[in-house]
Structures are given as C-alpha cells and as structure tokens.
Amino acid sequence: LPGGMTLRSLWRRRTRTLLTSLGIAVGIAAIVALNGLAEGYIEDFTDLAMGSNVDLMALEADASDMGYSSIDERVGARLSSVADVESVSGVGFAFASSEEMFIFFMMGYHPRESAIRHFRIAEGQPLATNRQMILGRKIAETLGVDVGDTMRVLDSSFRVVGIYETGVPFEESGAVITLRDAQRLSGRPHQVSMYGIKVRDPERADEVRAYLEANFPEIDVSLSSEFAENLPDMQSMDQMVGQIAFLAVLLGGVGMLNAMLMSVLERTREIGVLRALGWRRRQVVGMILREAFALGIFGGILGILLGMGLGALIGFIPVVGDMIEPSYSLELLLLALSVALLTGLLGGAYPALRATRMQPVEALRHE
C-alpha cells in the first residue's frame, strides 16, 4: 500500500525523520503557544468588558499599548453629557513588582460607579474610600492575606477590606483600589487608562460608537464584545505571530527540502527500479510528496503538543501563571496543522520534481 511504503521509508531513516519533524515542530510550537496566550487574554478581557455592565469601551486614540493609554478625565465629563450615554466609568491601572511577586496588577475604579459591581465580594465588604483595597481570591491565597490585613505597595499602605471573585484569572490575581489611588501610584493625576460607557439603548450601541469616534478624536471606541480583539496589544501580537508563521514555513521548508533531497539521492536506484517496472512520473511525485506530507503532519502534531506544553509551563510561574490561562481553539489547532502541512509540501516540491527527471537506465547504474 502507498501509505505503508511511505511509513516504511520514513522509519528506515528515523533520525532524519525526527530531526526534520522537530525543525517544523519548533515553529509550530511558537505559533500555538503565542496564539494560545493571546486567545486566553482576549477571553479574559472580553469577560472584563462584558461583566462590567457597559456597552462600549474607549482607549486613548492610537495608543501603542494598553498600558500607555491615558485619557484626560475632562473627556469623560464630555462623554457623560452625550444624550445617548447613560453612564461613564473610568478605569486606571497601576503596577508594582517585588521579590515575592513578579507583577502586582491593580485596577482603579470609583467606588460608587456601576462598573465596580463586576467584582463580587466573597468576604469582607466592598471598596469604599481611598487607601483601601479589595483582593482577588487567587492573589489573596498566594500571598496569605486576609480581610483586615495591611499591604504595603509602592511606599503606600492599603487596608484589605474585602476578597472578590469574578471567574477571570488575571482579575483574581490582582487587586482593586480607588481610581484616585491608582492615578497617584501610576503618576497620572486626572488621567484614566480607559472608559466603560453604558448607553441608554443597547441596540443602538454601534451607532453611538460611530458618533463618539467621529466627535471624540482623542479616543478609540469599541463594542464591549469586540474590545479585546481591537486592543493594540492584540494587533501587535497578531503581527508577531504572522512573522513567526512565515519564519516557521521558511526554516521548516529549508529543513524539509534538505531532508527530501537526501532521501531522493539515497534512493536513486530504488526510483530507477520503480520507473523500470512501469511507474509513471506522477506516481514518483506522489510518493515523495506523501513522505513530505507525513513529515508535515508529524511535525505539526508534535509542534501542537510542544506549544501546549509551553503554555502549561507558564502556569507554574508564581502569580504570573495565575494571571494568564491559555486557550486553544479548534481554529488555532487547524491553523497550526495547516502551516505544518504547507511547510512539508513546499519543502518536498523540488525534490519530487527532481526525482521525476531521473532516467531509469541512469538511475539503475547509480551506486
């Protein structure tokens, strides 16, 4: 059977088969790991936006990264005056690092705005004033902090008044403080990182979004359901993954080309015998391409497993592992496998063509 011949041929050259597949797998693993992290990130931020009971999210226009987004609070006041807008909630971000924690992520909300209700209090009480803090369940357990304790962050002391749960990993690995405290810690007085906007008629959210973008050039506005996908961070990640995919095809294809050329050279007499027995050129091409196809499949599956393994390793990093939970969609796995197959077929095309140019008599004389 053709399939059996393909497998026997690859098995006879086990070391080369493994090395060629690994060459493909490394690039595929990078694609799977990065995309898995990106998809998990998108899911978490979409849950944040949707769970905050707002219809639109606004970032600073043309911000290169969400961490650099900074919107003046006067813009928020103007947004509140728009007839179709019911309420506006500003969110500020602050970060701290220490020997115990790689990154301590803090979200700043006004205690009386509706968006903070997203953080369901499981123990203690809600945030009420400055110098208070509510902690996510995961970070509280990691640090061994309870309600009533005091935490020292960036030379400021905060009293932990509550423990919250949201079901979103990165949120439960952070803390919520007042917007004023977040502005002070981040050195951005009267600035917010983003605005959550609730419209009076949710069915007109897309119309309101278009109106706000046309009249507020300082901000980029997205529907809550599309907010994470439109983040500049995600666009940068997509570009990076695209570049890695190109390199994976290029480098994996070169490795495949070399392996298949060596295979064709070593099997010159075998190909000559097959041609002498009546094999047509297309049958020889099919034989070589099937081997390249099989190598691509094997490298793709191996790369997917390696990529998921890399994602799992992140879970063992203290705090950071709790904040990032990779997600692997069927579309991502099919994309990774498609790239691997494309790599195999492109790398096997020239060796297959070269094999067809062999004359049976010359091939039989080859030593």
Side-chain angles (χ1 to χ4, degrees):
L1 294 175
M5 181 183 295
T6 298
L7 294 178
R8 284 197 303 272
S9 177
L10 295 176
W11 182 252
R12 288 203 307 264
R13 301 164 180 82
R14 294 185 291 275
T15 301
R16 184 186 302 160
T17 296
L18 180 60
L19 291 177
T20 303
S21 298
L22 280 174
I24 297 174
V26 170
I28 300 303
I31 293 173
V32 170
L34 288 176
N35 263 308
L37 292 174
E39 288 187 2
Y41 185 82
I42 287 174
E43 289 179 5
D44 287 348
F45 262 87
T46 300
D47 289 342
L48 166 64
M50 300 295 288
S52 297
N53 194 32
V54 295
D55 304 292
L56 304 173
M57 300 294 292
L59 286 176
E60 180 187 5
D62 301 322
S64 60
D65 185 281
M66 188 179 66
Y68 294 115
S69 175
S70 185
I71 309 172
D72 195 287
E73 286 185 314
R74 288 174 292 186
V75 175
R78 290 167 50 208
L79 288 169
S80 299
S81 66
V82 175
D84 289 315
V85 172
E86 181 177 322
S87 64
V88 176
S89 300
V91 183
F93 296 131
F95 303 87
S97 60
S98 67
E99 294 180 358
E100 296 81 13
M101 300 174 294
F102 288 91
I103 298 177
F104 186 44
F105 176 54
M106 292 167 285
M107 298 161 279
Y109 285 81
H110 193 288
R112 288 185 292 278
E113 289 181 343
S114 61
I116 200 172
R117 297 171 192 165
H118 168 63
F119 300 91
R120 183 177 63 83
I121 301 300
E123 296 179 27
Q125 60 188 26
L127 194 69
T129 186
N130 295 335
R131 300 288 182 170
Q132 290 184 348
M133 173 184 290
I134 56 175
L135 284 175
R137 172 69 71 186
K138 287 186 178 180
I139 194 68
E141 293 176 351
T142 300
L143 299 179
V145 177
D146 295 316
V147 173
D149 291 347
T150 298
M151 284 192 63
R152 187 81 176 166
V153 181
L154 295 176
D155 297 325
S156 297
S157 296
F158 292 86
R159 182 170 176 268
V160 178
V161 297
I163 306 295
Y164 66 81
E165 297 174 350
T166 64
V168 179
F170 87 88
E171 286 182 338
E172 291 194 12
S173 299
V176 176
I177 56 180
T178 65
L179 181 58
R180 290 290 172 260
D181 280 336
Q183 291 170 335
R184 176 174 54 81
L185 292 177
S186 63
R188 296 178 180 177
H190 306 296
Q191 305 283 320
V192 302
S193 299
M194 62 185 184
Y195 274 112
I197 305 167
K198 184 173 179 58
V199 302
R200 299 188 187 280
D201 182 3
E203 293 185 358
R204 298 188 60 243
D206 205 26
E207 295 177 35
V208 177
R209 181 200 61 77
Y211 173 83
L212 295 180
E213 286 215 322
N215 292 273
F216 291 80
E218 308 96 328
I219 57 176
D220 288 329
V221 186
S222 301
L223 296 174
S224 297
S225 58
E226 301 174 355
F227 169 65
E229 296 178 8
N230 294 332
L231 286 173
D233 312 58
M234 290 300 96
Q235 295 171 0
S236 298
M237 179 70 79
D238 287 342
Q239 293 176 0
M240 182 186 302
V241 171
Q243 293 168 356
I244 290 175
F246 173 76
L247 288 176
V249 172
L250 179 62
L251 297 179
V254 170
M256 178 69 73
L257 175 65
N258 179 67
M260 297 310 298
L261 280 175
M262 290 295 295
S263 176
V264 168
L265 180 62
E266 292 172 355
R267 296 158 63 191
T268 299
R269 286 180 60 83
E270 176 186 338
I271 293 172
V273 170
L274 292 174
R275 291 295 309 280
L277 291 175
W279 273 46
R280 298 180 181 275
R281 293 178 185 270
R282 60 181 176 81
Q283 290 177 293
V284 175
V285 170
M287 179 183 67
I288 303 302
L289 289 183
R290 278 195 296 272
E291 293 181 15
F293 188 81
L295 283 171
I297 290 179
F298 183 55
I301 294 174
L302 184 59
I304 288 172
L305 295 176
L306 286 175
M308 288 183 171
L310 288 174
L313 286 176
I314 293 175
F316 293 100
I317 302 176
V319 181
V320 175
D322 292 331
M323 292 180 65
I324 304 175
E325 189 172 301
S327 176
Y328 307 101
S329 66
L330 178 60
E331 290 78 7
L332 170 58
L333 301 183
L334 290 176
L335 170 65
L337 198 56
S338 297
V339 171
L341 293 178
L342 177 63
T343 301
L345 292 178
L346 289 179
Y350 175 71
L353 180 62
R354 177 168 177 169
T356 64
R357 293 176 178 174
M358 293 182 181
Q359 297 300 321
V361 174
E362 293 180 4
L364 288 170
R365 292 175 178 170
H366 182 78
E367 296 294 337

